Amino acid sequence: MTKIGIAGFGTIGKAVGKWVLAQPDLELVGVVGGDRAKVEQSLADLGADVPIMSADALALQADIVVETAPTAAFRDIVVPALTAGACVVTVSAAALIENMDVVDIARAHGGRIIMATGALLGLDAVRAAAQGTIHSVTMVTRKPPKSLIGAPEVVRQGVDLSALTEPLMLFDGSAREGARGFPANVNVAASLALAGIGPDQTRLQIWADPALERNTHRILVDADSASFELRIQNIPTIEKPGTGRITALSVIAAVEGLTSALKVGS
């Protein structure tokens, strides 16, 4: 039986936990959360008798650690898990870009990092194109203003998103810069960058659009093997509008791909 640990038991972590508990060949051995009372309530909602523990303790218990915590907790969760030789499944691509040394830690200790697709699509095609030559990758993200409230770059600009009556471009630059200015909103762009030509070459625009109810991403890739355009509209979660419902499902799909007899897609 594969032992699963979940670090970060908010909107995504709770959904993943519910799925793990329903799988006969998986065991949820522990969870990590910053607000113990909220984690206890979430576990009670699921009817789960699962211990709450530190990231260090979880690293010694789990074969696979699902990391869905806030960006600031990324290293505290991932480093112990990788040092213990565990597999880490995460959607925190923005945090990974700023902490690429964890790849060396994984390599040195027999650990592994799996970047789940998250709220994106087409990463298989981008990864395949990257085996040849990609000339350019551009991503245009448009979100309802409420999904972007509190982002560091929005705060820096002093924009009152609630007062918008027409679309406003908040950012136009590299994926690396975008990840710093919108760490909770652009994991999709960071994942795209890691799959393709890197965070400094991947171009990103971020718009706040009051006419939208869904988070929308449009990706254009020009490579020597193919040119393609991808577009997805993600339905936001009620609990956290900046997070699409499909994000938790992509984490579940990643874990399933690691533990099932059949995996579809590269």
Side-chain angles (χ1 to χ4, degrees):
M1 181 173 290
T2 303
K3 297 180 179 180
I4 309 294
I6 301 177
F9 212 65
T11 302
I12 300 173
K14 184 177 179 181
V16 175
K18 181 179 180 179
W19 175 80
V20 171
L21 291 168
Q23 308 308 306
D25 55 345
L26 302 180
E27 179 186 1
L28 184 58
V29 295
V31 300
V32 176
D35 188 325
R36 188 178 183 89
K38 287 186 177 180
V39 175
E40 288 177 344
Q41 183 58 57
S42 293
L43 290 171
D45 292 342
L46 298 178
D49 183 17
V50 177
I52 302 171
M53 58 182 66
S54 68
D56 289 342
L58 187 67
L60 299 177
Q61 295 289 328
D63 303 312
I64 298 173
V65 173
V66 176
E67 187 279 316
T68 62
T71 302
F74 181 80
R75 287 193 69 88
D76 291 339
I77 293 164
V78 170
V79 171
L82 296 176
T83 301
C87 177
V88 173
V89 176
T90 181
V91 289
S92 300
L96 179 58
I97 282 177
E98 297 297 318
N99 294 275
M100 287 300 291
D101 63 299
V102 299
V103 178
D104 295 326
I105 294 173
R107 187 179 295 113
H109 297 277
R112 193 180 184 200
I113 305 167
I114 303 295
M115 181 60 59
T117 302
L120 203 54
L121 79 168
L123 286 189
D124 279 4
V126 177
R127 287 178 55 212
Q131 299 304 309
T133 300
I134 296 179
H135 304 303
S136 65
V137 179
T138 302
M139 178 172 174
V140 180
T141 290
R142 293 178 178 268
K143 291 192 172 189
K146 64 182 179 181
S147 299
L148 295 160
I149 291 175
E153 181 61 19
V154 173
V155 173
R156 188 191 70 79
Q157 293 182 24
V159 179
D160 182 4
L161 294 177
S162 64
L164 290 184
T165 57
E166 59 184 27
L168 174 66
M169 187 171 69
L170 296 169
F171 178 80
D172 185 5
S174 72
R176 183 185 299 278
E177 295 166 335
R180 291 170 179 166
F182 300 84
N185 295 96
V186 296
N187 278 317
V188 284
S191 295
L192 177 66
L194 290 169
I197 54 177
D200 296 310
Q201 285 71 46
T202 301
R203 307 308 299 172
L204 172 66
Q205 282 187 5
I206 300 176
W207 292 73
D209 190 339
L212 294 180
E213 295 183 358
R214 298 183 178 185
N215 303 325
T216 301
H217 308 292
R218 178 171 173 250
I219 302 157
L220 299 97
V221 178
D222 180 32
D224 62 353
S225 58
S227 293
F228 50 93
E229 179 177 337
L230 309 166
R231 183 182 178 91
I232 186 170
Q233 294 183 358
N234 294 315
I235 300 174
T237 58
I238 296 173
E239 303 87 349
K240 192 175 181 182
T243 299
R245 297 183 187 180
I246 200 170
T247 303
L249 299 178
S250 81
V251 175
I252 290 170
V255 175
E256 184 179 48
L258 288 169
T259 58
S260 66
L262 172 65
K263 180 179 182 294
V264 178
S266 58

